[in-house]
Amino acid sequence: MSSDDEVRAAAHAAVDEAVAVLRAGRDKPLDRIGKAAKDFLTEVDLASEAALKAALAKSTPDVGFFGEEGGGADLNTGRVWVADPLDGTINYATGSPLCGVMLGLLEDGVPTLGIIDLPFLGTRVDSGAVQDVDGFDEAIIGMGDAFHQGGGERLDAYLQMTVDVHRKAMRFRCVGAASVLWTWLASGNIQGMVLAHNNPYDVVAGHAIAKASGAVVTDYAGAPLTLSSPGAMAAVPSVHSDLTALARDLAAKT
């Protein structure tokens, strides 16, 4: 089994390969491959995931791999890389810099390592330090795109929480990329974030980084976040309880 330092170095090297794919495809016409309503992927997503998988298979052959586009290993057993090869595909495809590569490591279902690179913002994190505040009215809170909620009462509750956050926080952010929100939280640029889901490729890397940076990472009800949680959120210690209170109806609907 590779040492922790070797595994971390392998992860950074693999992310380098994926970032190169994103940069190379930046100014080229992209075909949009349908996934679901309001969602698509591009050939860059696929090429980036292939680059990650190939690099990690060579450097850490004893670690499994699970990617957003191709799936893969059982997430609950052993060591498994979890990758979002292009987070914020719609942003990327429309020329926005708010996109990134996310790579996390699970050990028996528990996030232990994360790397996020935002290539068009010149930022990479694998740890950080949150910036706490004195109260919710001094906090900047990021919310993930609501379309992940599907429809019905859960969507309504998520949209209502978005309104409540917008009213009560100092500022509100919705950027269309979980990678950006996790990075901003770990870097002290925001104080809380709520995702509309708990997809492992959008959460595992950020979960590990946020915890290492001093954030509280939970589900909507405030319970410890696991792979089976219905949704994910994280915040600085002083803000988390207020965020959980605002998510009470959403937690009930999920």
Side-chain angles (χ1 to χ4, degrees), residues 82 96 107 112 144 156 248:
V82 181
S96 169
E107 297 192 34
T112 59
D156 292 342
R248 186 173 294 115

Side-chain angles (χ1 to χ4, degrees), residues 196-210:
H197 56 78
N198 185 33
N199 295 331
Y201 42 82
D202 282 332
V203 173
V204 170
H207 184 171
I209 293 168

Side-chain angles (χ1 to χ4, degrees), residues 5-90:
D5 287 343
E6 290 171 333
V7 168
R8 183 177 294 273
H12 277 282
V15 171
D16 288 342
E17 296 288 331
V19 165
V21 172
L22 267 61
R23 291 189 182 279
R26 182 62 165 172
D27 298 319
K28 298 178 180 179
L30 298 173
D31 292 329
R32 298 184 180 187
I33 306 165
K35 294 173 70 174
K38 298 187 179 183
D39 199 11
F40 61 81
L41 60 86
T42 72
E43 60 267 34
V44 175
D45 297 75
L46 298 173
S48 178
E49 182 160 309
L52 283 166
K53 188 174 183 179
L56 293 167
K58 184 177 181 179
S59 60
T60 57
D62 53 342
V63 182
F65 182 87
F66 184 98
E68 177 180 7
E69 310 308 340
D74 180 358
L75 297 175
N76 294 286
T77 304
R79 278 182 154 187
V80 181
W81 293 114
V82 181
D84 190 335
L86 173 46
D87 179 62
T89 297
I90 293 175

Side-chain angles (χ1 to χ4, degrees), residues 103-124:
L103 181 64
L105 181 65
L106 288 171
E107 297 192 34
D108 294 326
V110 178
T112 59
L113 170 67
I115 296 171
I116 299 175
D117 192 289
L118 310 178
F120 307 109
L121 296 180
T123 301
R124 180 177 294 193

Side-chain angles (χ1 to χ4, degrees), residues 71-239:
D74 180 358
L75 297 175
N76 294 286
T77 304
R79 278 182 154 187
V80 181
W81 293 114
V82 181
D84 190 335
L86 173 46
D87 179 62
T89 297
I90 293 175
N91 287 352
Y92 179 85
T94 55
S96 169
L98 300 176
C99 55
V101 176
M102 305 176 71
L103 181 64
L105 181 65
L106 288 171
E107 297 192 34
D108 294 326
V110 178
T112 59
L113 170 67
I115 296 171
I116 299 175
D117 192 289
L118 310 178
F120 307 109
L121 296 180
T123 301
R124 180 177 294 193
V125 294
D126 61 11
S127 63
V130 299
Q131 183 65 50
D132 217 337
V133 292
D134 291 333
F136 198 81
D137 61 349
E138 296 183 10
I140 303 173
I141 306 296
M143 299 285 291
D145 280 337
F147 89 92
H148 286 287
Q149 291 284 357
E153 291 185 345
R154 175 171 172 152
L155 175 61
D156 292 342
Y158 189 83
L159 292 174
Q160 183 58 54
M161 182 183 179
T162 300
V163 171
D164 293 340
V165 166
H166 208 163
R167 285 175 172 161
K168 296 182 179 182
M170 184 173 77
R171 288 292 187 274
F172 167 91
R173 301 285 182 261
C174 183
V175 300
S179 55
V180 175
L181 294 182
W182 288 116
T183 299
W184 284 354
L185 178 64
S187 301
N189 305 122
I190 64 174
Q191 281 67 53
M193 56 177 285
V194 183
L195 297 183
H197 56 78
N198 185 33
N199 295 331
Y201 42 82
D202 282 332
V203 173
V204 170
H207 184 171
I209 293 168
K211 286 195 70 175
S213 302
V216 182
V217 187
T218 67
D219 66 9
Y220 298 147
L225 186 68
T226 69
L227 291 175
S228 60
S229 299
M233 67 183 195
V236 299
S238 68
V239 166

